[in-house]
Amino acid sequence: MSSTLKTPLVLAGMMLSLILASLDQTIVATAMPRIVQEFQGLSHLSWVFTAYMLASAVTVPIYGKLTDLFGRRRLLIIAVLIFLGGSMLSGLAQNMTQLIFFRGIQGVGAGAIMVNAFAIVADLFPPAQRGKVQGLFGAVFGITSVAGPLLGGWLTDSFSWRWIFYVNIPIGLVALAVIFAGMPRHATATHGNGERSIDYFGAVLLTATLVPLLLALVWGGSQYPWGSPEIITLLAVSAIALLGFLWRETKARDPIVTLSLFKNRVFTISVIATFLASLGMFGSILFIPVFAQGVAGFSATNSGLIMMPMMLAIVAGSMFAGQVMSRTGKYKVLAVSGLGIATLGMALFSQVSESTSQFDLIIRMIVMGIGLGFTMPIFTVAVQNAFSHSRIGEVTAGIQLFRTVGGTVGGAVLGGVMNAQLASNLIGIENHPFIVAAEQVSPGTPVVIDGNTIQTFLSNDGQAQIRALIAQAPEAIREQISAAFDQFLEILKTAFSQSIDYVFIIGATLMIVAFAASFFLPQLPLRKSHRPAAEELGVELDATMGQSDKRHEPDILGKV
């Protein structure tokens, strides 16, 4: 089969694989109430997401190095098979413990798929042509973010929650068939002298660094207080493991993460901007559906549609930025523009209130989405362009790792900030006339004001249930309780809105720092082949770029 026919086939296989990995980040959300009800596992709810995220984050840098050593095709096939095995087992799970474990298996496969997808684009296309394809990949993330909750809700209602996992099987089998047909069997290893080695000890230390860190950030402020022995121990273990990992990476022959990568200004600035942008943006946008339902009064029936304006804007922004970058080679102006637009969107969100209209909310989401879309393809192409082709997997995994960890840290930390701010805004709320009246009507049943009950009070369904209970109160006090409840709701909405504003102010501050960092991103000419570019703007490209790329001329996919 000719290369003209094989290249689209390889891309189709990548797109299908990427759909698998990105869809499963969102499809589970709408099915969780049904799963929790069946397994009686509310206390373990967060672990269904955490296990997937932890496994994916930990495996990204390890697989990145392995793909450089052993080639993409074999590891991509293994990754898809691991993901499909985890999907089948998740669908067959009989309790929450099994489901959490099997979701971890899915995450191991997903981490490898993510790295391979972006690295294989680098194998097929030189940097000057990668932007438009990376833009398509960014569009996949946007589309699956919208389609995931909708598809998950439909499968759960029409069939069973188990089908949110079984649906991966046919998609995965098609992806495997396309990969087998389109990707060459031969895969060239890229180790300098042809020998292969794996830094197993480094992989263990990296795992020991990331797992306790992410657990501390997920649990801190929710499962345990931030100053508790559990959180302090996890952070201490992570810090010790990090020191051990840094030491090991200076000694290993083939380190998992080569520390010399940070000597390259393109890589360092891209990592800083990506981490901060993910920390601010992804940490903050988690609260948009919460605000839309709890304060603006959106219906929860089609909650998956709330984010659609933003996701459509991400798709449009990502594809536009990819096309412009491929045609002009100017990635720096796109990075600066994207982060600037996203910062503006974050600042606009910090001004929302209980009086914000649906139209105003949509405008803010579109601005944020365009900024997000602009930045999605940029930094990956920039770092790939700055290094020799033999290190594509490693540098791609590096940028993906900081994006994943940034989003996770953002969600955990800003979630803790919001809860603390909400508690501060609601000091003394337990003495409100509505709470006093409710406890008098139902003696012995105190009304607890926490995150769960606030969500109940602010949801349309929760308010309907409470008004039904008020209707059963004695007629003499019914109107008084109803008026007190309306006033109580206004206080909750104001406190909730102000707390979310505070989160977006912090998110905007982080975005400003990322925006400022992007000005220092060197603009190197995008290479029109896999050969190294000349030095530009006083920034040294990877020291191995000379002989390494000549040796690697057939590229990692083999001759097509």
Side-chain angles (χ1 to χ4, degrees), residues 127 130 261 264 266 381-392 395 524-536 539-553:
R130 273 176 215 158
L261 293 178
N264 184 297
V266 175
V381 174
V383 297
Q384 289 175 344
N385 180 63
F387 287 86
S388 65
H389 195 88
S390 62
R391 304 182 74 177
I392 288 295
V395 297
L524 302 180
L526 291 182
R527 306 197 303 274
K528 299 185 184 302
S529 72
H530 288 303
R531 296 178 185 274
E535 224 176 274
E536 186 115 342
V539 178
E540 290 188 8
L541 299 187
D542 179 30
T544 66
M545 288 188 72
Q547 297 302 317
S548 165
D549 271 10
K550 290 177 182 175
R551 172 183 54 75
H552 185 70
E553 191 66 25

Side-chain angles (χ1 to χ4, degrees), residues 25-254:
Q25 293 177 346
T26 57
I27 196 172
V28 177
T30 45
M32 281 313 299
R34 201 72 57 85
I35 295 172
V36 166
Q37 183 181 3
E38 182 171 329
F39 290 155
Q40 297 295 300
L42 181 61
S43 60
H44 301 296
L45 171 66
S46 64
W47 271 102
V48 177
F49 301 96
T50 304
Y52 185 90
M53 172 270 297
L54 279 175
S56 178
V58 166
T59 54
V60 158
I62 297 171
Y63 269 109
K65 187 66 178 181
L66 290 178
T67 61
D68 284 341
L69 291 173
F70 299 103
R72 322 275 189 235
R73 182 180 189 269
R74 183 189 310 169
L75 285 170
L76 179 61
I77 291 170
I78 291 171
V80 175
L81 288 173
I82 290 173
F83 186 86
L84 293 183
S87 298
M88 178 60 77
L89 290 169
S90 295
L92 295 171
Q94 298 301 305
N95 53 55
M96 280 300 265
T97 303
Q98 290 182 10
L99 180 60
I100 290 165
F101 180 74
F102 297 148
R103 281 282 288 170
I105 295 176
Q106 271 192 309
V108 170
I113 288 171
M114 293 287 190
V115 175
N116 271 287
F118 288 100
I120 285 172
V121 170
D123 292 327
L124 290 174
F125 301 96
Q129 298 175 21
R130 273 176 215 158
K132 53 190 176 184
V133 183
Q134 301 282 27
L136 285 174
F137 281 11
V140 166
F141 283 106
I143 291 169
T144 53
S145 297
V146 175
L150 296 176
L151 181 61
W154 178 74
L155 288 172
T156 302
D157 290 338
S158 303
F159 302 97
S160 159
W161 64 263
R162 298 180 185 275
W163 276 96
I164 67 173
F165 300 111
Y166 294 151
V167 74
N168 293 328
I169 308 302
I171 300 174
L173 291 176
V174 173
L176 283 174
V178 173
I179 291 166
F180 271 108
M183 196 176 290
R185 288 183 178 278
H186 175 65
T188 306
T190 60
H191 189 276
N193 56 12
E195 297 177 8
R196 298 170 174 177
S197 68
I198 303 172
D199 181 16
Y200 293 107
F201 187 39
V204 171
L205 288 171
L206 177 63
T207 304
T209 300
L210 290 176
V211 170
L213 173 65
L214 295 178
L215 285 178
L217 293 170
V218 170
W219 284 346
S222 55
Q223 302 284 98
Y224 306 99
W226 281 106
S228 66
E230 290 84 357
I231 299 301
I232 291 172
T233 301
L234 286 170
L235 291 174
V237 169
S238 177
I240 293 168
L242 175 61
L243 292 175
F245 176 71
L246 294 175
W247 170 84
R248 172 62 186 174
E249 297 309 274
T250 63
K251 306 294 181 185
R253 188 179 72 176
D254 279 305

Side-chain angles (χ1 to χ4, degrees), residues 230-290:
E230 290 84 357
I231 299 301
I232 291 172
T233 301
L234 286 170
L235 291 174
V237 169
S238 177
I240 293 168
L242 175 61
L243 292 175
F245 176 71
L246 294 175
W247 170 84
R248 172 62 186 174
E249 297 309 274
T250 63
K251 306 294 181 185
R253 188 179 72 176
D254 279 305
I256 297 293
V257 178
T258 308
L259 300 183
S260 62
L261 293 178
F262 290 93
K263 293 179 180 178
N264 184 297
R265 247 196 326 144
V266 175
F267 184 81
T268 303
I269 296 299
S270 295
V271 160
I272 292 171
T274 299
F275 178 78
L276 289 173
S278 298
L279 190 72
M281 287 190 288
F282 294 107
S284 301
I285 63 177
L286 290 172
F287 300 100
I288 294 176
V290 176

Side-chain angles (χ1 to χ4, degrees), residues 482-559:
S482 180
F485 180 58
D486 289 338
Q487 186 192 47
F488 176 74
L489 280 181
E490 288 305 310
I491 292 173
L492 282 188
K493 287 183 178 182
T494 301
F496 207 65
S497 175
Q498 289 175 350
S499 301
I500 290 178
D501 286 350
Y502 193 75
V503 166
F504 280 111
I505 288 170
I506 294 176
T509 305
L510 292 168
M511 286 299 307
I512 288 171
V513 180
F515 175 61
S518 68
F519 281 95
F520 297 93
L521 180 68
Q523 172 63 63
L524 302 180
L526 291 182
R527 306 197 303 274
K528 299 185 184 302
S529 72
H530 288 303
R531 296 178 185 274
E535 224 176 274
E536 186 115 342
L537 296 178
V539 178
E540 290 188 8
L541 299 187
D542 179 30
T544 66
M545 288 188 72
Q547 297 302 317
S548 165
D549 271 10
K550 290 177 182 175
R551 172 183 54 75
H552 185 70
E553 191 66 25
D555 84 39
I556 232 169
L557 288 175
K559 292 199 176 184

Side-chain angles (χ1 to χ4, degrees), residues 421-474:
Q421 190 67 19
L422 187 59
S424 172
N425 290 339
L426 291 176
I427 291 175
I429 192 68
E430 64 276 0
N431 298 319
H432 189 274
F434 169 70
I435 302 297
V436 175
E439 291 178 344
Q440 288 174 352
V441 171
S442 301
T445 311
V447 180
V448 179
I449 305 297
D450 57 18
N452 292 328
T453 54
I454 289 172
Q455 289 291 314
T456 302
F457 283 129
L458 292 178
S459 70
N460 292 336
D461 291 342
Q463 290 174 32
Q465 291 174 11
I466 292 169
R467 292 192 188 283
L469 291 173
I470 291 174
Q472 298 173 18

